Amino acid sequence: MSVSILGTTALVTGANRGLGRALVDALLDRGATRVYAGARRLESLAELVAASGGRVIPLQLDVTNADDIANAAAVAGDVSLLINNAGVVSHSFGAFDDPKWLPAGREEYEVNVIGPLALTQRFQPILASHGGGAVVNVASVVSFVSVAIAPTYSASKAATHSITQYTRQALRDQGTFVAGAYPGPVDTDMAERVPLDKTPAPVVAAAILDGLEAGVEDILPDPVAREMGATFFSNPKQLEQPASAEAA
Ligand SMILES: NC(=O)c1ccc[n+]([C@@H]2O[C@H](COP(=O)([O-])OP(=O)(O)OC[C@H]3O[C@@H](n4cnc5c(N)ncnc54)[C@H](OP(=O)(O)O)[C@@H]3O)[C@@H](O)[C@H]2O)c1
């Protein structure tokens, strides 16, 4: 099932910087009518909102805050595309017995797994009322294999993949298209200390929307993702990518 961006109304979490910001820009470029930009600090959205000509609506949205999520659903009842992008690495580069892994793992699970599930639960009837709509969960290549520098983050992103599969099954009957996006290293604040080649956020954002428009369920939006995903997703149909994504 392909998803049309032109004329849609979307909500992007973690929209104030990094990949979320790039996704908002890409949605606007492709003709989305309105984009709700979720952020923990509304002031961090000021420039994005001011430049949008009224098409970006700022939304106070900490994905771990139940009141924020309820308010988002009350305000953004016209959403037909939900992009669960917000994510966090709470600790990295520690020894195995580093006590920081435990609170970090709990926080990462709350933000990276429970957050998308809670938001999608709230938006389920809204999406249904617009013919099903679509959900994208931003996972990672570390959903496929744990990286030693960020083991608890890796575990949370493996769980993001799992909850994406569950969501796809659960919302199938109401016609909601559910995609997972699995980027490799992206050039954002999050990957600042990662000593690898990184794909620019606008390139990854464009490839995610390409995948969505082509109806790809497991979106591999950069070269690292395509290489690692090829061994993880055994069904070749899931690897199908539009030509523009391959060229990115
Ligand atoms: N960068 C990479 O290499 C990479 C690779 C694969 C996947 N990803 C995934 O891509 C997504 C975007 O990451 P990024 O690279 O753009 O990272 P980033 O630059 O660190 O941005 C993270 C975004 O998530 C927001 N956020 C964090 N906790 C939140 C919460 N509790 N509620 C709402 N928003 C919250 C941040 O808001 P604040 O400004 O308030 O902190 C920020 O907007 C994440 O899901 C990440 O796991 C990233």
Side-chain angles (χ1 to χ4, degrees), residues 50-72:
S52 75
R55 291 165 69 203
V56 173
I57 313 295
L59 206 53
Q60 169 70 46
L61 183 51
D62 180 330
V63 301
T64 66
N65 184 309
D67 291 340
D68 281 3
I69 291 174
N71 180 61

Side-chain angles (χ1 to χ4, degrees), residues 156-194:
S156 75
K157 286 292 176 175
T160 308
H161 169 62
S162 180
I163 216 72
T164 302
Q165 292 183 314
Y166 165 64
T167 304
R168 182 176 298 137
Q169 292 159 15
L171 303 193
R172 182 163 287 144
D173 285 351
Q174 71 170 40
T176 301
F177 180 78
V178 179
Y182 300 84
V186 187
D187 192 7
T188 66
D189 297 342
M190 181 179 283
E192 203 175 12
R193 295 172 64 202
V194 175

Side-chain angles (χ1 to χ4, degrees), residues 14 16-17 19 40-41 62-63 85 139 153 157 184 186 188:
N16 55 308
R17 61 189 172 100
L19 182 58
R40 291 191 285 190
R41 293 165 293 110
D62 180 330
V63 301
N85 164 78
Y153 171 73
K157 286 292 176 175
V186 187
T188 66

Side-chain angles (χ1 to χ4, degrees), residues 2-28:
S2 65
V3 176
S4 176
I5 307 296
L6 183 67
T8 200
T9 295
L11 190 164
V12 180
T13 65
N16 55 308
R17 61 189 172 100
L19 182 58
R21 169 72 196 254
L23 282 163
V24 174
D25 289 338
L27 287 163
L28 295 175

Side-chain angles (χ1 to χ4, degrees), residues 45-185:
L45 293 166
E47 182 205 323
L48 179 62
V49 172
S52 75
R55 291 165 69 203
V56 173
I57 313 295
L59 206 53
Q60 169 70 46
L61 183 51
D62 180 330
V63 301
T64 66
N65 184 309
D67 291 340
D68 281 3
I69 291 174
N71 180 61
V75 167
D78 52 347
V79 163
S80 54
L81 169 59
L82 170 63
I83 303 186
N84 286 307
N85 164 78
V88 72
V89 178
S90 302
H91 187 53
S92 53
F93 295 98
F96 181 77
D97 61 353
D98 188 334
K100 290 182 183 164
W101 290 130
L102 305 184
R106 291 188 181 103
E107 181 181 55
E108 289 159 345
Y109 201 84
E110 276 294 326
V111 177
N112 301 341
V113 185
I114 304 299
L117 177 60
L119 211 61
T120 308
Q121 281 183 334
R122 274 286 180 173
F123 276 81
Q124 176 190 357
I126 293 171
L127 296 169
S129 73
H130 298 298
V135 176
V136 181
N137 288 342
V138 179
S140 168
V141 292
V142 306
S143 302
F144 312 148
V145 58
S146 175
V147 290
I149 58 169
T152 52
Y153 171 73
S154 300
S156 75
K157 286 292 176 175
T160 308
H161 169 62
S162 180
I163 216 72
T164 302
Q165 292 183 314
Y166 165 64
T167 304
R168 182 176 298 137
Q169 292 159 15
L171 303 193
R172 182 163 287 144
D173 285 351
Q174 71 170 40
T176 301
F177 180 78
V178 179
Y182 300 84

